[in-house]
Amino acid sequence: MEYIYSVVNETSERGADSFGIQVISQSCGCSTVVEIIHDVCSDEKKIAQLVDMCNTLRLDYVHLYDVIDDFLSDI
């Protein structure tokens, strides 16, 4: 099974933007949204870099929360 990660843009009731990560599994020609992790970061450029890295390295979904924890401790 392969996972594809993408940035999700969310706007709060106060109008502030935050960005999350959507996880899509691809198997046998079918795509399914596995999870959306909300409000990871307010910096679109940084979250886009994280998502690109996850896709480039073909990150297995079971490691995503550890990667996010490491990412947040570095910013």
Side-chain angles (χ1 to χ4, degrees):
M1 184 174 309
E2 185 175 336
Y3 297 97
I4 305 297
Y5 302 91
S6 61
V7 175
V8 176
N9 184 352
E10 303 167 318
T11 304
S12 72
E13 293 175 3
R14 291 182 256 153
D17 283 334
S18 68
F19 301 92
I21 299 174
Q22 178 175 269
V23 183
I24 299 170
S25 69
Q26 291 189 323
S27 179
C28 303
C30 295
S31 297
T32 305
V33 174
V34 175
E35 185 169 3
I36 299 174
I37 303 168
H38 301 278
D39 195 21
V40 175
C41 180
S42 61
D43 187 330
E44 183 177 15
K45 184 177 178 180
K46 287 186 180 182
I47 196 76
Q49 290 172 339
L50 175 64
V51 165
D52 286 343
M53 181 179 65
C54 291
N55 286 320
T56 299
L57 297 175
R58 301 177 72 182
L59 181 72
D60 192 312
Y61 171 62
V62 298
H63 303 292
L64 182 60
Y65 280 97
D66 290 330
V67 169
I68 290 172
D69 285 342
D70 291 343
F71 168 77
L72 291 175
S73 69
D74 288 341
I75 60 170

